[in-house]
Amino acid sequence: MALIVQKYGGTSVGSPERIERVAEKVLETTRQGHQVVVVVSAMSGETDRLLDLAHRIDPQAGGRELDVLLSTGEQVTIALLAMALHRRGCPAVSYTGAQVHILTDSAHNKARIREIDGARVRRDLEAGRVVVVAGFQGVDEHGNITTLGRGGSDTTAVALAAALGADECQIYTDVDGVYTTDPRIEPRARRLDRITFEEMLEMASLGSKVLQIRAVEFAGKYDVPLRVLSSFEEGPGTLITYEADQMEQALISGIAFNRDEAQLTVTGVPDQPGVAARILGPISDANIEVDMIVQNVAADRQTTDFTFTVHRNDYERALEILRRTAEELGARSVEGDPAIVKVSLVGVGMRSHAGIAAEMFRALAEEGINIRMISTSEIKISVVVDEKYLELAVRTLHQAFGLDAEPGEGVA
Ligand code: ADP
Ligand code: ASP
Ligand code: MG
């Protein structure tokens, strides 16, 4: 008998019929003799609908009250799933995050889980019940409802699996595993049988929204066996593993992309020590996170151009701050472009291979795609390109690095 945590995402619980199917799958797992904890998301589109409602009342809505609102989506699905299980004669009980003591910090809308008290869940499991827990939500030390950021139900599932010492955490979604890239962009993307935690973490950080970053971090840290599977079809899915020797080492495991960034440039800044700090200081004081940074000294060696990227939601604010700083510094101009994307190659195989960057740049150049920024780390290379090139860049690299599926092997 194993203890299994199963998480079903928004599409998987998107209608009453789909909730019935989830109930069947859960029942099937209990019939195999396993104990099951189920974590569910809100029905697809529900969190967006709630966000839209909030923004119609207050375009700046956020913080505590937004969490009170957003957490209701998941509360609907836990109750419906528990009812569907009851109808099938399966003892089940639904709980909100607070009811199973998912204690978080107080950073509303992006809270982090600090601690989970698994005692109540364990008691139910021992009494033969299926436990259905609302994803994406917790409670802070003052009893306020918190939410964990978009996609946060993944993290609830992994954190529960860690707290309960589960044998496996299964993430059921609308694709049958982790692919070499988002199959919505590249139909020739291939499902990976395995991917390392390290690579998955990079993929998630660089924009692949198939798993929330925090979920992968948790799974890596607490050694939770994690698998991504389809709710709609049978199959082995993708196992997230530690780097195993016998693992066939592909050079590149996947391609991630992020459309959420925007680029800002200040040109003709007097090239003096402390300039970077003076440019980025006010940005970080405004709580705006900076991702990529490039600084170039102009040919005259007197001035420098400074470029960086921020989240697209912060673009207007960052631009305004930068204009003020530029004036203080006596810079020549401030330019901005929100229509950019970051495309990244990820693979642990990069460590032992030189020349990947050159190959990447050559492939992009052959398609006439101009690279605006570059950044690298041990297992990834990212480039910023115009948004209009997103699909072309992803497909070009997918093919150039031999990731395309064989005919008949692609997405069903
Ligand atoms: P859920 O609602 O089940 O949490 P998500 O929409 O959050 O589902 O995540 C699944 C989606 O992630 C897929 O439909 C797919 O378009 C997208 N995705 C992005 N990158 C990848 C990838 N590398 N492999 C698989 N899916 C990916
Ligand atoms: N319902 C939340 C969202 O849409 C959390 C999740 O689905 O994981 O982001
Ligand atoms: Mg998700």
Side-chain angles (χ1 to χ4, degrees):
M1 186 174 72
L3 168 53
I4 297 174
V5 175
Q6 299 187 332
K7 177 256 171 177
Y8 292 89
T11 318
S12 312
V13 293
S15 65
E17 295 73 29
R18 288 188 170 172
I19 293 176
E20 306 259 13
R21 281 179 61 172
V22 167
E24 290 293 338
K25 281 181 82 80
V26 171
L27 202 60
E28 178 58 34
T29 315
T30 60
R31 285 199 183 120
Q32 290 164 5
H34 304 309
Q35 294 181 318
V36 189
V37 175
V38 191
V39 173
V40 283
S41 292
M43 294 168 81
S44 56
E46 180 62 8
T47 308
D48 287 334
R49 188 184 73 85
L50 294 168
L51 262 175
D52 181 61
L53 276 177
H55 290 147
R56 278 205 234 165
I57 300 281
D58 174 6
Q60 308 296 328
R64 184 185 185 282
E65 305 314 325
L66 186 64
D67 280 349
V68 172
L69 180 70
L70 293 187
S71 64
T72 61
E74 272 70 11
Q75 192 166 338
V76 170
T77 27
I78 53 169
L80 292 175
L81 180 58
M83 289 173 197
L85 288 164
H86 293 164
R87 285 265 297 174
R88 286 163 175 75
C90 173
V93 55
S94 67
Y95 290 123
T96 63
Q99 285 176 308
V100 287
H101 308 292
I102 299 184
L103 185 72
T104 71
D105 61 20
S106 302
H108 284 290
N109 317 150
K110 51 175 182 198
R112 286 171 163 255
I113 296 177
R114 278 193 180 149
E115 203 180 280
I116 296 183
D117 171 11
R120 188 168 194 177
V121 176
R122 272 194 211 97
R123 273 201 301 277
D124 282 309
L125 290 174
E126 269 147 35
R129 284 187 277 271
V130 168
V131 180
V132 184
V133 180
F136 176 57
Q137 56 176 263
V139 63
D140 75 0
E141 59 183 332
H142 309 294
N144 299 301
I145 297 173
T146 54
T147 64
L148 310 178
R150 299 309 301 266
S153 299
D154 296 338
T155 303
T156 306
V158 176
L160 264 169
L164 297 167
D167 296 284
E168 186 161 292
C169 181
Q170 304 174 339
I171 307 286
Y172 286 94
T173 181
D174 56 4
V175 272
D176 65 343
V178 177
Y179 275 66
T180 45
T181 192
D182 189 343
R184 286 185 214 202
I185 294 286
E186 171 52 281
R188 278 175 293 189
R190 237 180 333 113
R191 182 181 58 81
L192 299 163
D193 285 326
R194 293 158 163 257
I195 185 169
T196 65
F197 279 111
E198 213 183 352
E199 288 169 320
M200 194 63 240
L201 196 58
E202 284 285 4
M203 291 279 281
S205 315
L206 295 166
S208 296
K209 290 180 181 149
V210 59
L211 284 176
Q212 204 200 27
I213 305 171
R214 288 281 294 149
V216 187
E217 274 173 8
F218 249 105
K221 188 164 165 197
Y222 296 101
D223 207 359
V224 177
L226 183 62
R227 197 182 282 277
V228 177
L229 302 136
S230 165
S231 297
F232 303 104
E233 52 191 281
E234 295 296 315
T238 300
L239 185 68
I240 326 291
T241 60
Y242 287 102
E243 207 166 328
D245 293 342
Q246 72 275 18
M247 222 170 122
E248 195 188 320
Q249 257 336 315
L251 206 51
I252 303 299
S253 294
I255 300 172
F257 54 83
N258 186 348
R259 312 176 217 240
D260 295 340
E261 292 192 31
Q263 180 180 319
L264 296 115
T265 301
V266 47
T267 68
V269 186
D271 189 20
Q272 293 154 2
V275 158
R278 285 195 55 194
I279 293 171
L280 293 181
I283 300 279
S284 89
D285 290 345
N287 253 325
I288 298 175
E289 265 179 57
V290 170
D291 180 25
M292 286 164 94
I293 304 171
V294 171
Q295 186 187 338
N296 264 327
V297 177
D300 61 11
R301 297 197 165 272
Q302 306 291 313
T303 64
T304 168
D305 293 349
F306 195 92
T307 302
F308 58 96
T309 64
V310 297
H311 195 283
R312 232 178 251 192
N313 293 347
D314 295 324
Y315 174 66
E316 296 294 340
R317 257 185 339 129
L319 198 60
E320 213 180 289
I321 295 169
L322 191 59
R323 286 205 177 107
R324 279 201 301 271
T325 313
E327 214 174 290
E328 285 163 27
L329 290 172
R332 192 180 319 121
S333 70
V334 169
E335 291 151 26
D337 188 353
I340 55 143
V341 287
K342 183 168 73 173
V343 178
S344 311
L345 285 183
V346 174
V348 288
M350 252 182 237
R351 281 199 187 110
S352 46
H353 274 266
I356 303 219
E359 206 176 320
M360 178 185 194
F361 305 154
R362 193 181 322 116
L364 294 172
E366 273 167 16
E367 293 297 330
I369 301 173
N370 187 38
I371 299 170
R372 300 166 56 145
M373 293 174 90
I374 300 169
S375 93
T376 64
S377 78
E378 219 190 352
I379 67 162
K380 72 118 205 277
I381 306 169
S382 301
V383 295
V384 168
V385 299
D386 286 353
E387 190 174 28
K388 65 177 185 232
Y389 292 129
L390 170 64
E391 271 98 353
L392 182 62
V394 169
R395 290 178 190 164
T396 299
L397 296 174
H398 202 266
Q399 194 189 19
F401 287 91
L403 297 175
D404 283 2
E406 300 294 327
E409 193 199 6
V411 197

